[in-house]
Amino acid sequence: MPDRTVVSEQVLGALEECQRSFAVHRKCILRLKQAQVADPEEFKETFVECLNRALLVFKREPAVERFVKLVSSFVSFSNDKYARDGDMAATLLEYLIPLTASKDKAVRFRSCQLTAMLLNALGADSEVGEELFEEMADAMLVRLKDKIPVVRVFAASALSRLQDPTDEEDPVTSEYLRLVGSDSSKEVRKAILANIGPSMVTIPHILKRIRDVREDVRKYAYNVVAIKIEARQLSIAQRVDLVGHGLKDRAPIVRKACADMVCKKWLGKCGGNPVEFLKLLDVELHPEQSESALRCVMEHLGMDKLADFLPTDLSALTPEQVFYWRGGGE
């Protein structure tokens, strides 16, 4: 039987070192794996003892953030020698879920944070049982109503994989839609935007955030649209609304986010062809917004490339070609 004190010291040493830098995390994980193999029970006892200390820290101390990251990386780590540790993940989740109801705001925050990070680290094919998932979902739905914003943020993150964005009555989706439009914390609204799945049900609520009172939320909404939603998933009216508001927003960061969406995502999906891009906006019905978008695209392409897209057959010009020709001339 290995010396339990040696195992405990090895765990304590690795968990202390991991708080200094992310760069040493792989080395620390390997040391922890060796200790776990040597004495699983002593390892778990010492690991949880260290975890309990971190749960009491509400302030976002860098050392504690690195520790929390190490915990999620540990359970998801795999190489030729060690497999991903679904059993340890389940053990930790079973331990953390009751703590999400603690009276201590630090414990609620850290237990929700760890729950979210563990689930995200494990991925969609995790070995966590369905019963545990349901228990976790119930606990996190309660935390979405927590009075502490950061608790709501991580509860939203933890529930991401349990939503059905196509069903407005789905408990998670229903709460997401409530919070994204009404939560007083901009960080919670951003967290919902980050985690909500796009669908016919949720997209209108996502798009409403381009009018959020906070400019960083408006910027985040444009980033989310660019990453999660294809232009052709949107109606012409929705595309025009996005362009019309974003390119004229009073905040430079929002205008840039909208321009990036237009030029890097939408134009890119049109093969970099501005004439094809204009078909997304209906230049005849929405000339003002189309002109703003075309000006943005032209600045992105540069003057030397604009002539490449001028029509050669002037006998059968499309509305988009005429609009582009006029825009290029101006």
Side-chain angles (χ1 to χ4, degrees):
M1 176 72 69
D3 187 336
R4 286 178 177 265
T5 303
V6 171
V7 170
S8 180
E9 288 181 353
Q10 189 171 350
V11 174
L12 290 170
L15 293 179
E16 182 179 350
E17 185 178 0
C18 80
Q19 298 176 48
R20 300 189 185 118
S21 170
F22 288 117
V24 299
H25 275 202
R26 181 179 174 84
K27 180 179 73 172
C28 292
I29 288 171
L30 291 173
R31 287 170 60 191
L32 290 170
K33 291 290 185 183
Q34 292 169 358
Q36 186 181 32
V37 170
D39 191 328
E41 287 304 313
E42 180 69 9
F43 167 82
K44 184 168 67 174
E45 182 179 331
T46 309
F47 195 96
V48 171
E49 179 185 332
C50 293
L51 186 68
N52 285 338
R53 298 173 191 168
L55 293 176
L56 297 173
V57 183
F58 184 75
K59 189 176 179 181
R60 303 298 292 267
E61 298 283 357
V64 180
E65 298 303 316
R66 287 191 282 266
F67 172 85
V68 169
K69 177 61 178 174
L70 184 281
V71 173
S72 64
S73 298
F74 174 77
V75 299
S76 62
F77 180 83
S78 65
N79 62 7
D80 294 340
K81 186 175 181 180
Y82 300 109
R84 191 172 62 178
D85 198 343
D87 289 341
M88 183 64 177
T91 296
L92 291 175
L93 287 171
E94 287 172 355
Y95 180 73
L96 290 167
I97 289 170
L99 296 177
T100 64
S102 170
K103 293 182 179 180
D104 188 317
K105 66 179 182 179
V107 175
R108 297 200 308 278
F109 157 43
R110 293 297 179 181
S111 56
C112 286
Q113 180 190 32
L114 278 160
T115 297
M117 293 182 72
L118 285 168
L119 290 171
N120 292 333
L122 289 171
D125 57 343
S126 68
E127 300 169 6
V128 177
E130 184 175 341
E131 185 176 336
L132 184 57
F133 261 120
E134 291 177 357
E135 186 180 348
M136 186 274 295
D138 290 341
M140 292 300 105
L141 282 168
V142 173
R143 288 307 108 208
L144 285 180
K145 296 181 175 70
D146 198 279
K147 64 182 179 180
I148 305 299
V150 73
V151 175
R152 303 198 297 275
V153 165
F154 283 106
S157 177
L159 288 165
S160 177
R161 287 168 50 194
L162 303 180
Q163 67 181 302
D164 179 1
T166 65
D167 181 5
E168 196 169 4
E169 301 301 318
D170 171 68
V172 177
T173 300
S174 176
E175 280 298 287
Y176 275 1
L177 297 183
R178 178 183 68 83
L179 290 169
V180 78
S182 65
D183 198 282
S184 60
S185 167
K186 67 174 185 175
E187 297 304 326
V188 174
R189 299 197 300 276
K190 287 163 68 174
I192 300 298
L193 287 172
N195 288 285
I196 195 168
S199 72
M200 295 294 288
V201 169
T202 62
I203 284 175
H205 296 267
I206 295 171
L207 299 186
K208 285 180 181 178
R209 290 306 96 211
I210 69 169
R211 293 177 173 83
D212 198 278
V213 295
R214 300 300 294 263
E215 63 185 49
D216 51 339
V217 178
R218 299 198 301 274
K219 171 195 170 185
Y220 203 83
Y222 277 101
N223 291 341
V224 166
V225 171
I227 294 168
K228 290 186 177 184
I229 304 172
E230 295 294 334
R232 298 190 188 281
Q233 286 182 265
L234 305 170
S235 67
I236 290 176
Q238 288 172 328
R239 294 176 213 146
V240 168
D241 193 47
L242 281 165
V243 170
H245 278 85
L247 295 179
K248 292 185 176 180
D249 195 281
R250 63 184 179 274
I253 61 170
V254 180
R255 295 198 298 272
K256 184 180 184 305
C258 181
D260 286 345
M261 177 193 72
V262 166
C263 298
K264 296 179 180 179
K265 186 68 182 289
W266 291 6
L267 180 63
K269 286 291 184 178
C270 296
N273 187 325
V275 177
E276 289 299 311
F277 163 77
L278 287 171
K279 294 178 181 178
L280 296 174
L281 302 177
D282 194 331
V283 297
E284 294 179 298
L285 286 178
H286 308 286
E288 181 182 349
Q289 294 89 338
S290 298
E291 183 179 349
S292 296
L294 180 58
R295 192 180 307 117
C296 177
V297 166
M298 286 179 164
E299 290 175 2
H300 173 74
L301 291 173
M303 292 299 295
D304 56 329
K305 294 184 179 180
L306 298 183
D308 295 345
F309 303 101
L310 289 172
T312 55
D313 181 4
L314 303 183
S315 63
L317 294 177
T318 65
E320 291 77 23
Q321 288 173 322
V322 171
F323 198 90
Y324 180 71
W325 186 301
R326 188 186 70 187
E330 294 176 353

